[in-house]
């Protein structure tokens, strides 16, 4: 399971991660529940894709640190000067 911002979502592990083929999104309701909603028509036997970089600002490095895998392309590699100084220490 994955811990989303609002809870544990066991269905999350059944979805494939891919930044370029996302066909779902998470939606929160007023009671704290979460739903996985298709953003396109998903045909039978077609993979369900989501991204663990939900906010769009997470880089490939963040996904690796948080989830333990390196994304397939397209990837987002982002470093700041602060990160580079910290790594050099």
């Amino acid at each position: 399971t994955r811990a989303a911002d609002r809870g544990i979502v066991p269905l999350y592990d059944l979805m494939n991660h891919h930044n370029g083929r996302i066909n779902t999104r998470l939606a929160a309701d007023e009671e704290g529940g979460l739903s996985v909603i298709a953003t396109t028509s998903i045909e039978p036997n077609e993979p369900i894709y989501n991204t663990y970089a939900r906010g769009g600002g997470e880089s490939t490095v963040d996904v690796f640190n948080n989830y333990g895998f390196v994304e397939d392309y397209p990837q987002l590699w982002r470093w700041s000067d602060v990160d580079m100084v910290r790594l050099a220490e």
Side-chain angles (χ1 to χ4, degrees):
T1 59
R2 297 282 179 228
D5 294 340
R6 300 188 56 163
I8 295 180
V9 185
L11 184 64
Y12 223 64
D13 279 339
L14 298 176
M15 292 184 276
N16 295 301
H17 172 88
H18 196 287
N19 288 328
R21 300 179 186 162
I22 303 164
N23 57 10
T24 62
R25 67 178 176 85
L26 289 178
D29 63 28
E30 298 81 36
E31 290 85 36
L34 292 171
S35 299
V36 177
I37 299 174
T39 57
T40 63
S41 177
I42 301 173
E43 299 298 322
N45 299 317
E46 181 180 349
I48 298 174
Y49 290 107
N50 200 3
T51 179
Y52 294 159
R54 292 181 305 276
E58 294 89 347
S59 75
T60 298
V61 172
D62 297 321
V63 172
F64 178 72
N65 285 335
N66 292 328
Y67 301 103
F69 69 93
V70 175
E71 305 167 292
D72 198 4
Y73 292 103
Q75 297 173 340
L76 172 63
W77 293 91
R78 181 177 304 186
W79 291 275
S80 69
D81 290 340
V82 173
D83 292 335
M84 297 308 286
V85 169
R86 182 175 48 85
L87 291 171
E89 294 176 342

Coordinates of all heavy atoms in Angstrom, one line a residue:
T1 N 0.8 -1.2 0.0 CA 0.0 0.0 0.0 C 0.9 1.2 0.0 O 2.0 1.2 0.4 CB -0.9 0.0 1.2 OG1 -0.1 0.0 2.4 CG2 -1.9 -1.1 1.2
R2 N 0.3 2.3 -0.4 CA 1.0 3.6 -0.4 C 0.2 4.5 0.5 O -1.0 4.5 0.6 CB 1.0 4.2 -1.8 CG 1.8 3.4 -2.8 CD 3.2 3.6 -2.6 NE 3.9 2.7 -3.6 CZ 4.9 1.9 -3.3 NH1 5.4 1.9 -2.1 NH2 5.5 1.2 -4.2
A3 N 1.0 5.3 1.2 CA 0.4 6.3 2.1 C 0.2 7.6 1.3 O 1.2 8.3 1.0 CB 1.3 6.6 3.3
A4 N -1.0 7.9 1.0 CA -1.3 9.2 0.3 C -1.4 10.3 1.4 O -1.2 10.0 2.5 CB -2.6 9.1 -0.4
D5 N -1.6 11.5 0.9 CA -1.6 12.6 1.8 C -2.8 12.5 2.9 O -2.7 13.0 3.9 CB -1.8 13.9 1.1 CG -0.6 14.2 0.2 OD1 0.4 13.7 0.5 OD2 -0.8 15.0 -0.7
R6 N -3.8 11.7 2.5 CA -4.9 11.6 3.4 C -5.2 10.2 3.9 O -6.2 10.0 4.6 CB -6.2 12.1 2.7 CG -6.0 13.5 2.2 CD -7.2 14.1 1.7 NE -8.3 14.0 2.6 CZ -9.4 14.7 2.5 NH1 -9.5 15.6 1.5 NH2 -10.3 14.5 3.4
G7 N -4.4 9.2 3.6 CA -4.6 7.9 4.1 C -3.9 6.8 3.3 O -3.1 7.1 2.4
I8 N -4.2 5.6 3.6 CA -3.6 4.5 2.9 C -4.5 4.1 1.8 O -5.7 3.9 2.0 CB -3.3 3.3 3.9 CG1 -2.3 3.8 4.9 CG2 -2.9 2.1 3.1 CD1 -1.9 2.7 5.9
V9 N -3.9 3.9 0.6 CA -4.7 3.5 -0.6 C -4.2 2.2 -1.2 O -3.3 2.2 -2.0 CB -4.6 4.7 -1.7 CG1 -5.5 4.4 -2.8 CG2 -4.9 6.0 -1.0
P10 N -4.8 1.1 -0.7 CA -4.3 -0.2 -1.2 C -4.3 -0.4 -2.7 O -3.5 -1.0 -3.3 CB -5.2 -1.2 -0.5 CG -5.7 -0.5 0.7 CD -5.8 0.9 0.3
L11 N -5.3 0.2 -3.4 CA -5.4 0.1 -4.8 C -4.3 0.7 -5.5 O -4.0 0.4 -6.7 CB -6.7 0.8 -5.2 CG -7.1 0.7 -6.7 CD1 -7.4 -0.7 -7.1 CD2 -8.4 1.5 -7.0
Y12 N -3.6 1.6 -4.9 CA -2.4 2.4 -5.5 C -1.4 1.4 -6.0 O -0.8 1.6 -7.1 CB -1.8 3.3 -4.5 CG -1.5 4.6 -5.0 CD1 -2.4 5.5 -5.4 CD2 -0.2 5.1 -5.0 CE1 -2.1 6.8 -5.9 CE2 0.2 6.3 -5.4 CZ -0.8 7.2 -5.9 OH -0.5 8.4 -6.3
D13 N -1.1 0.3 -5.3 CA -0.1 -0.7 -5.8 C -0.5 -1.5 -7.0 O 0.3 -2.1 -7.6 CB 0.2 -1.6 -4.6 CG 1.2 -1.0 -3.7 OD1 1.9 -0.1 -4.0 OD2 1.3 -1.6 -2.5
L14 N -1.8 -1.5 -7.3 CA -2.3 -2.2 -8.5 C -2.1 -1.4 -9.8 O -2.2 -1.9 -10.9 CB -3.8 -2.6 -8.3 CG -4.0 -3.5 -7.2 CD1 -5.5 -3.8 -7.0 CD2 -3.3 -4.8 -7.3
M15 N -1.9 -0.1 -9.6 CA -1.8 0.8 -10.8 C -0.3 0.8 -11.2 O 0.6 0.7 -10.4 CB -2.2 2.2 -10.5 CG -3.7 2.3 -10.3 SD -4.3 4.0 -10.0 CE -4.0 4.1 -8.2
N16 N -0.1 1.0 -12.5 CA 1.3 1.2 -13.0 C 1.7 2.6 -12.9 O 0.8 3.5 -13.1 CB 1.3 0.7 -14.5 CG 1.1 -0.7 -14.6 OD1 1.8 -1.6 -14.1 ND2 0.0 -1.1 -15.4
H17 N 2.9 2.9 -12.7 CA 3.4 4.3 -12.6 C 4.1 4.6 -14.0 O 4.9 3.9 -14.5 CB 4.5 4.4 -11.5 CG 5.2 5.7 -11.5 ND1 4.7 6.8 -10.9 CD2 6.3 6.1 -12.2 CE1 5.5 7.8 -11.1 NE2 6.5 7.4 -11.9
H18 N 3.6 5.7 -14.5 CA 4.3 6.2 -15.7 C 3.9 7.7 -15.9 O 2.7 8.1 -15.9 CB 3.8 5.5 -17.0 CG 4.6 5.7 -18.2 ND1 4.6 6.8 -18.9 CD2 5.5 4.9 -18.7 CE1 5.5 6.7 -19.9 NE2 6.0 5.5 -19.8
N19 N 4.9 8.6 -16.0 CA 4.6 10.0 -16.1 C 4.0 10.4 -17.4 O 3.2 11.4 -17.4 CB 5.9 10.8 -16.0 CG 6.4 10.7 -14.5 OD1 5.7 10.7 -13.6 ND2 7.7 10.7 -14.4
G20 N 4.2 9.7 -18.5 CA 3.7 10.1 -19.8 C 2.3 9.5 -20.2 O 1.8 9.9 -21.2
R21 N 1.8 8.5 -19.4 CA 0.6 7.8 -19.8 C -0.4 7.8 -18.7 O -1.2 6.9 -18.6 CB 1.0 6.4 -20.1 CG 1.9 6.2 -21.3 CD 2.2 4.8 -21.5 NE 3.3 4.6 -22.5 CZ 4.0 3.6 -22.7 NH1 3.7 2.5 -22.0 NH2 4.9 3.5 -23.6
I22 N -0.5 8.8 -17.9 CA -1.4 8.9 -16.8 C -2.8 8.9 -17.2 O -3.2 9.7 -18.1 CB -1.1 10.1 -15.9 CG1 0.3 10.1 -15.4 CG2 -2.1 10.2 -14.7 CD1 0.8 11.4 -14.9
N23 N -3.7 7.9 -16.8 CA -5.1 7.9 -17.1 C -6.0 7.9 -15.9 O -7.2 7.5 -16.1 CB -5.4 6.7 -18.1 CG -5.0 5.4 -17.6 OD1 -4.7 5.3 -16.4 ND2 -5.0 4.4 -18.4
T24 N -5.5 8.2 -14.8 CA -6.3 8.3 -13.6 C -5.8 9.5 -12.7 O -4.8 10.1 -13.0 CB -6.1 7.0 -12.7 OG1 -4.8 6.9 -12.2 CG2 -6.6 5.8 -13.4
R25 N -6.7 9.8 -11.8 CA -6.3 10.8 -10.8 C -7.0 10.4 -9.4 O -7.9 9.7 -9.4 CB -6.7 12.2 -11.2 CG -8.2 12.4 -11.2 CD -8.6 13.9 -11.6 NE -10.0 14.0 -11.8 CZ -10.9 14.3 -10.8 NH1 -10.4 14.4 -9.6 NH2 -12.2 14.4 -11.0
L26 N -6.4 10.9 -8.4 CA -7.0 10.7 -7.0 C -7.9 11.9 -6.7 O -7.6 13.0 -7.0 CB -5.9 10.6 -6.0 CG -5.1 9.3 -6.0 CD1 -4.1 9.4 -4.8 CD2 -6.0 8.1 -5.8
A27 N -9.0 11.6 -6.1 CA -9.9 12.7 -5.7 C -10.3 12.4 -4.2 O -10.7 11.3 -3.8 CB -11.2 12.7 -6.5
A28 N -10.3 13.5 -3.4 CA -10.7 13.4 -2.0 C -12.1 13.9 -1.8 O -12.4 14.9 -2.5 CB -9.7 14.2 -1.1
D29 N -12.8 13.3 -0.9 CA -14.1 13.9 -0.6 C -14.1 14.5 0.7 O -13.1 14.5 1.4 CB -15.2 12.8 -0.7 CG -15.0 11.7 0.3 OD1 -14.5 11.9 1.4 OD2 -15.5 10.5 0.0
E30 N -15.3 15.1 1.1 CA -15.3 15.9 2.4 C -15.2 15.0 3.6 O -14.8 15.5 4.7 CB -16.7 16.6 2.4 CG -16.9 17.7 1.4 CD -17.4 17.0 0.1 OE1 -18.2 16.0 0.1 OE2 -17.0 17.5 -1.0
E31 N -15.5 13.7 3.5 CA -15.4 12.8 4.7 C -14.0 12.2 4.8 O -13.8 11.4 5.7 CB -16.4 11.7 4.5 CG -17.9 12.2 4.7 CD -18.5 12.7 3.4 OE1 -18.1 12.1 2.3 OE2 -19.2 13.7 3.4
G32 N -13.1 12.6 4.0 CA -11.7 12.0 4.1 C -11.5 10.8 3.2 O -10.4 10.2 3.2
G33 N -12.5 10.4 2.4 CA -12.3 9.3 1.5 C -11.6 9.6 0.3 O -11.5 10.8 -0.1
L34 N -11.0 8.6 -0.4 CA -10.3 8.8 -1.6 C -10.9 8.0 -2.7 O -11.3 6.8 -2.5 CB -8.8 8.5 -1.5 CG -8.0 9.4 -0.6 CD1 -6.6 8.8 -0.3 CD2 -7.8 10.7 -1.2
S35 N -10.9 8.5 -3.9 CA -11.4 7.8 -5.1 C -10.3 7.8 -6.2 O -9.6 8.8 -6.3 CB -12.7 8.4 -5.6 OG -13.7 8.3 -4.7
V36 N -10.2 6.8 -7.0 CA -9.4 6.8 -8.2 C -10.4 7.0 -9.3 O -11.3 6.2 -9.5 CB -8.6 5.4 -8.3 CG1 -7.8 5.4 -9.6 CG2 -7.7 5.2 -7.1
I37 N -10.1 8.0 -10.1 CA -11.0 8.4 -11.2 C -10.3 8.3 -12.5 O -9.2 8.8 -12.6 CB -11.6 9.8 -10.9 CG1 -12.4 9.8 -9.6 CG2 -12.5 10.3 -12.1 CD1 -12.8 11.2 -9.2
A38 N -10.9 7.6 -13.5 CA -10.3 7.6 -14.8 C -10.4 8.9 -15.5 O -11.5 9.6 -15.4 CB -11.1 6.5 -15.7
T39 N -9.3 9.4 -16.1 CA -9.3 10.7 -16.8 C -9.5 10.5 -18.3 O -9.7 11.5 -19.0 CB -8.0 11.4 -16.5 OG1 -6.9 10.6 -16.9 CG2 -7.9 11.8 -15.0
T40 N -9.4 9.2 -18.7 CA -9.7 8.9 -20.1 C -10.5 7.6 -20.2 O -10.6 6.9 -19.1 CB -8.4 8.7 -20.9 OG1 -7.6 7.6 -20.4 CG2 -7.5 9.9 -20.9
S41 N -10.9 7.2 -21.3 CA -11.6 5.9 -21.5 C -10.5 4.8 -21.3 O -9.5 4.8 -22.0 CB -12.3 5.8 -22.8 OG -12.8 4.5 -23.0
I42 N -10.7 3.9 -20.4 CA -9.8 2.8 -20.2 C -10.4 1.5 -20.8 O -11.5 1.0 -20.2 CB -9.4 2.6 -18.8 CG1 -8.8 3.9 -18.2 CG2 -8.4 1.4 -18.6 CD1 -8.5 3.9 -16.8
E43 N -9.9 0.9 -21.8 CA -10.4 -0.3 -22.4 C -10.1 -1.5 -21.6 O -9.1 -1.5 -20.8 CB -9.8 -0.4 -23.8 CG -10.1 0.7 -24.8 CD -11.6 0.9 -25.0 OE1 -12.3 -0.1 -25.1 OE2 -12.1 2.0 -25.1
P44 N -10.8 -2.6 -21.8 CA -10.5 -3.9 -21.1 C -9.1 -4.3 -21.4 O -8.6 -4.1 -22.5 CB -11.5 -4.9 -21.6 CG -12.7 -4.0 -22.1 CD -12.1 -2.7 -22.6
N45 N -8.4 -4.7 -20.4 CA -7.0 -5.2 -20.4 C -6.0 -4.1 -20.7 O -4.8 -4.3 -20.9 CB -6.8 -6.3 -21.5 CG -7.6 -7.5 -21.2 OD1 -7.7 -8.0 -20.1 ND2 -8.3 -8.0 -22.2
E46 N -6.4 -2.8 -20.7 CA -5.5 -1.7 -20.8 C -4.9 -1.4 -19.4 O -5.7 -1.4 -18.4 CB -6.2 -0.5 -21.4 CG -5.4 0.7 -21.6 CD -6.1 1.9 -22.1 OE1 -7.3 1.8 -22.5 OE2 -5.6 3.0 -22.1
P47 N -3.6 -1.1 -19.3 CA -3.1 -0.8 -18.0 C -3.7 0.5 -17.4 O -4.1 1.4 -18.1 CB -1.6 -0.6 -18.3 CG -1.3 -1.2 -19.6 CD -2.6 -1.1 -20.3
I48 N -3.8 0.5 -16.1 CA -4.2 1.7 -15.4 C -2.9 2.4 -14.9 O -2.1 1.8 -14.2 CB -5.1 1.3 -14.2 CG1 -6.4 0.6 -14.7 CG2 -5.4 2.5 -13.3 CD1 -7.2 0.1 -13.6
Y49 N -2.7 3.6 -15.3 CA -1.5 4.4 -15.0 C -1.8 5.5 -14.0 O -2.8 6.2 -14.1 CB -0.9 5.0 -16.2 CG -0.3 4.0 -17.2 CD1 -0.9 3.6 -18.4 CD2 0.9 3.3 -16.8 CE1 -0.3 2.7 -19.2 CE2 1.5 2.4 -17.7 CZ 0.8 2.1 -18.9 OH 1.4 1.2 -19.7
N50 N -0.9 5.8 -13.1 CA -0.9 6.9 -12.2 C 0.5 7.3 -12.1 O 1.4 6.7 -12.6 CB -1.5 6.5 -10.9 CG -2.0 7.7 -10.1 OD1 -1.9 8.8 -10.6 ND2 -2.5 7.5 -8.9
T51 N 0.7 8.4 -11.4 CA 2.1 8.9 -11.1 C 2.2 9.0 -9.6 O 1.3 9.5 -8.9 CB 2.5 10.2 -11.8 OG1 3.8 10.5 -11.4 CG2 1.5 11.3 -11.5
Y52 N 3.3 8.6 -9.0 CA 3.6 8.9 -7.6 C 4.1 10.3 -7.4 O 4.1 10.7 -6.2 CB 4.6 7.9 -7.1 CG 4.1 6.4 -7.1 CD1 5.0 5.4 -7.0 CD2 2.8 6.1 -7.1 CE1 4.6 4.1 -7.1 CE2 2.3 4.8 -7.1 CZ 3.3 3.8 -7.1 OH 2.8 2.5 -7.1
A53 N 4.4 11.0 -8.4 CA 4.8 12.4 -8.3 C 3.6 13.2 -8.5 O 3.4 13.9 -9.4 CB 5.9 12.7 -9.4
R54 N 2.7 13.1 -7.5 CA 1.3 13.7 -7.6 C 1.3 15.2 -7.8 O 0.5 15.7 -8.5 CB 0.5 13.3 -6.3 CG 0.2 11.9 -6.2 CD -0.6 11.6 -4.9 NE 0.1 12.1 -3.7 CZ 1.0 11.4 -3.0 NH1 1.4 10.3 -3.5 NH2 1.5 11.9 -1.9
G55 N 2.2 15.9 -7.1 CA 2.2 17.4 -7.2 C 2.8 17.9 -8.4 O 2.7 19.1 -8.7
G56 N 3.5 17.1 -9.2 CA 4.1 17.6 -10.4 C 5.5 18.2 -10.1 O 6.3 18.4 -11.1
G57 N 5.8 18.4 -8.9 CA 7.1 19.0 -8.6 C 8.1 18.0 -8.1 O 9.3 18.4 -7.9
E58 N 7.7 16.8 -7.8 CA 8.6 15.8 -7.4 C 9.5 15.3 -8.5 O 9.0 15.1 -9.6 CB 7.9 14.6 -6.8 CG 7.1 14.9 -5.5 CD 5.7 15.3 -5.8 OE1 5.4 15.7 -6.9 OE2 4.9 15.4 -4.8
S59 N 10.8 15.2 -8.3 CA 11.7 14.8 -9.3 C 11.9 13.3 -9.3 O 11.4 12.6 -8.3 CB 13.0 15.5 -9.2 OG 13.8 15.0 -8.1
T60 N 12.6 12.7 -10.2 CA 12.9 11.3 -10.3 C 13.7 10.9 -9.0 O 13.5 9.8 -8.5 CB 13.7 11.0 -11.5 OG1 12.9 11.3 -12.7 CG2 14.1 9.5 -11.6
V61 N 14.5 11.8 -8.5 CA 15.2 11.5 -7.3 C 14.3 11.4 -6.1 O 14.4 10.5 -5.3 CB 16.2 12.7 -7.0 CG1 16.9 12.5 -5.6 CG2 17.3 12.7 -8.1
D62 N 13.3 12.2 -6.0 CA 12.3 12.1 -4.9 C 11.5 10.8 -5.0 O 11.2 10.2 -4.0 CB 11.3 13.3 -5.0 CG 11.9 14.7 -4.8 OD1 12.9 14.7 -4.0 OD2 11.5 15.6 -5.5
V63 N 11.1 10.4 -6.2 CA 10.3 9.2 -6.4 C 11.2 8.0 -6.0 O 10.8 7.1 -5.3 CB 9.8 9.0 -7.8 CG1 9.2 7.6 -8.1 CG2 8.8 10.1 -8.1
F64 N 12.5 8.0 -6.3 CA 13.4 7.0 -5.9 C 13.6 6.9 -4.4 O 13.5 5.9 -3.8 CB 14.8 7.1 -6.6 CG 15.8 6.1 -6.1 CD1 15.6 4.8 -6.6 CD2 16.8 6.4 -5.3 CE1 16.5 3.8 -6.2 CE2 17.7 5.4 -4.9 CZ 17.6 4.1 -5.3
N65 N 13.8 8.1 -3.8 CA 13.9 8.1 -2.3 C 12.7 7.7 -1.6 O 12.7 7.0 -0.6 CB 14.3 9.5 -1.9 CG 15.7 9.9 -2.2 OD1 16.6 9.0 -2.3 ND2 16.0 11.2 -2.3
N66 N 11.5 8.1 -2.1 CA 10.2 7.8 -1.4 C 9.6 6.4 -1.7 O 9.0 5.8 -0.9 CB 9.2 8.8 -1.8 CG 9.6 10.2 -1.2 OD1 10.2 10.3 -0.1 ND2 9.2 11.2 -1.9
Y67 N 9.9 5.9 -2.9 CA 9.2 4.7 -3.4 C 10.1 3.5 -3.8 O 9.7 2.4 -4.1 CB 8.2 5.0 -4.5 CG 7.2 6.0 -4.1 CD1 7.2 7.3 -4.5 CD2 6.1 5.6 -3.2 CE1 6.3 8.2 -4.1 CE2 5.2 6.5 -2.8 CZ 5.3 7.8 -3.3 OH 4.3 8.7 -2.9
G68 N 11.4 3.8 -4.0 CA 12.4 2.8 -4.2 C 12.6 2.3 -5.6 O 13.1 1.2 -5.9
F69 N 12.2 3.2 -6.6 CA 12.4 2.8 -8.0 C 12.7 4.0 -8.8 O 12.3 5.1 -8.5 CB 11.2 2.0 -8.6 CG 10.0 2.8 -8.8 CD1 9.7 3.4 -10.0 CD2 9.0 2.9 -7.8 CE1 8.6 4.2 -10.2 CE2 7.9 3.6 -8.0 CZ 7.6 4.3 -9.2
V70 N 13.4 3.8 -9.9 CA 13.7 4.9 -10.9 C 12.6 4.9 -12.0 O 12.4 3.8 -12.6 CB 15.1 4.8 -11.4 CG1 15.3 5.9 -12.5 CG2 16.1 4.9 -10.3
E71 N 12.0 6.0 -12.3 CA 11.0 6.1 -13.3 C 11.5 5.8 -14.7 O 12.6 6.1 -15.0 CB 10.4 7.5 -13.3 CG 9.9 7.9 -11.9 CD 9.6 9.4 -11.9 OE1 10.6 10.2 -12.1 OE2 8.4 9.8 -11.8
D72 N 10.6 5.3 -15.5 CA 10.8 5.2 -16.9 C 10.7 6.6 -17.5 O 10.3 7.5 -16.8 CB 9.8 4.2 -17.5 CG 10.1 3.7 -18.9 OD1 11.3 4.0 -19.3 OD2 9.3 3.0 -19.5
Y73 N 11.1 6.7 -18.7 CA 11.0 8.0 -19.4 C 9.5 8.4 -19.6 O 8.8 7.5 -19.9 CB 11.8 8.1 -20.7 CG 13.3 8.0 -20.4 CD1 13.9 6.8 -20.6 CD2 14.0 9.1 -20.0 CE1 15.3 6.7 -20.4 CE2 15.3 9.0 -19.7 CZ 16.0 7.8 -19.9 OH 17.3 7.7 -19.7
P74 N 9.1 9.6 -19.6 CA 9.9 10.8 -19.3 C 10.2 11.0 -17.8 O 9.4 10.6 -17.0 CB 9.0 12.0 -19.8 CG 7.6 11.4 -19.6 CD 7.7 9.9 -19.9
Q75 N 11.4 11.4 -17.5 CA 11.9 11.6 -16.2 C 12.1 13.1 -15.9 O 12.3 13.9 -16.8 CB 13.2 10.9 -15.9 CG 13.1 9.4 -16.1 CD 14.5 8.8 -16.0 OE1 15.5 9.4 -16.2 NE2 14.5 7.5 -15.7
L76 N 12.0 13.5 -14.7 CA 12.2 14.9 -14.3 C 13.4 14.8 -13.3 O 13.2 14.3 -12.2 CB 11.0 15.5 -13.6 CG 11.2 16.9 -13.0 CD1 11.6 17.9 -14.1 CD2 9.9 17.3 -12.3
W77 N 14.5 15.4 -13.6 CA 15.7 15.4 -12.7 C 15.8 16.9 -12.3 O 15.9 17.8 -13.1 CB 16.9 15.0 -13.5 CG 16.9 13.5 -13.8 CD1 16.4 13.0 -14.9 CD2 17.3 12.5 -12.9 NE1 16.5 11.6 -14.8 CE2 17.1 11.3 -13.6 CE3 17.9 12.4 -11.6 CZ2 17.4 10.0 -13.1 CZ3 18.1 11.2 -11.1 CH2 17.9 10.0 -11.8
R78 N 15.7 17.1 -11.0 CA 15.7 18.5 -10.5 C 16.7 18.5 -9.2 O 16.5 17.7 -8.3 CB 14.3 18.9 -10.0 CG 14.2 20.2 -9.5 CD 12.8 20.6 -9.2 NE 12.0 20.4 -10.4 CZ 10.8 20.7 -10.5 NH1 10.1 21.2 -9.5 NH2 10.1 20.5 -11.6
W79 N 17.6 19.4 -9.3 CA 18.5 19.7 -8.2 C 18.5 21.2 -7.9 O 18.3 22.0 -8.8 CB 19.9 19.3 -8.5 CG 20.1 17.8 -8.6 CD1 20.4 16.9 -7.6 CD2 20.1 17.0 -9.8 NE1 20.5 15.7 -8.1 CE2 20.4 15.7 -9.5 CE3 20.0 17.4 -11.2 CZ2 20.4 14.7 -10.4 CZ3 20.0 16.4 -12.1 CH2 20.3 15.0 -11.7
S80 N 18.7 21.5 -6.7 CA 18.9 22.9 -6.3 C 20.3 23.1 -5.8 O 21.0 22.2 -5.5 CB 17.9 23.3 -5.2 OG 18.3 22.7 -4.0
D81 N 20.8 24.4 -5.8 CA 22.1 24.7 -5.3 C 22.3 24.2 -3.9 O 23.3 23.7 -3.5 CB 22.4 26.2 -5.4 CG 22.6 26.6 -6.8 OD1 22.8 25.8 -7.7 OD2 22.4 27.8 -7.1
V82 N 21.2 24.3 -3.1 CA 21.3 23.8 -1.7 C 21.5 22.3 -1.6 O 22.3 21.9 -0.8 CB 19.9 24.2 -1.0 CG1 19.9 23.6 0.4 CG2 19.8 25.7 -0.9
D83 N 20.8 21.6 -2.5 CA 21.0 20.1 -2.5 C 22.5 19.8 -2.9 O 23.1 18.9 -2.3 CB 20.1 19.5 -3.6 CG 18.7 19.5 -3.2 OD1 18.4 19.6 -1.9 OD2 17.8 19.5 -4.1
M84 N 23.0 20.5 -3.9 CA 24.4 20.2 -4.3 C 25.4 20.5 -3.2 O 26.4 19.8 -3.0 CB 24.7 21.0 -5.6 CG 23.8 20.7 -6.8 SD 23.8 18.9 -7.1 CE 25.3 18.7 -7.9
V85 N 25.2 21.6 -2.5 CA 26.1 22.0 -1.4 C 26.0 20.9 -0.3 O 27.0 20.4 0.2 CB 25.8 23.3 -0.8 CG1 26.5 23.6 0.5 CG2 26.1 24.4 -1.8
R86 N 24.8 20.5 0.0 CA 24.6 19.4 1.0 C 25.3 18.1 0.6 O 25.9 17.5 1.5 CB 23.1 19.2 1.3 CG 22.8 18.2 2.4 CD 21.3 18.2 2.6 NE 20.5 18.0 1.4 CZ 20.2 16.9 0.8 NH1 20.6 15.8 1.3 NH2 19.4 16.9 -0.2
L87 N 25.1 17.7 -0.6 CA 25.7 16.5 -1.1 C 27.3 16.6 -1.1 O 27.9 15.5 -0.9 CB 25.2 16.1 -2.5 CG 23.7 15.7 -2.5 CD1 23.3 15.6 -4.0 CD2 23.5 14.4 -1.8
A88 N 27.8 17.7 -1.3 CA 29.2 17.9 -1.4 C 29.9 17.9 0.0 O 31.1 17.7 0.1 CB 29.6 19.2 -2.0
E89 N 29.1 18.0 1.1 CA 29.7 18.1 2.4 C 30.1 16.7 2.9 O 29.6 15.7 2.5 CB 28.6 18.7 3.4 CG 28.4 20.1 3.1 CD 27.3 20.7 4.0 OE1 26.5 19.9 4.6 OE2 27.2 21.9 4.1

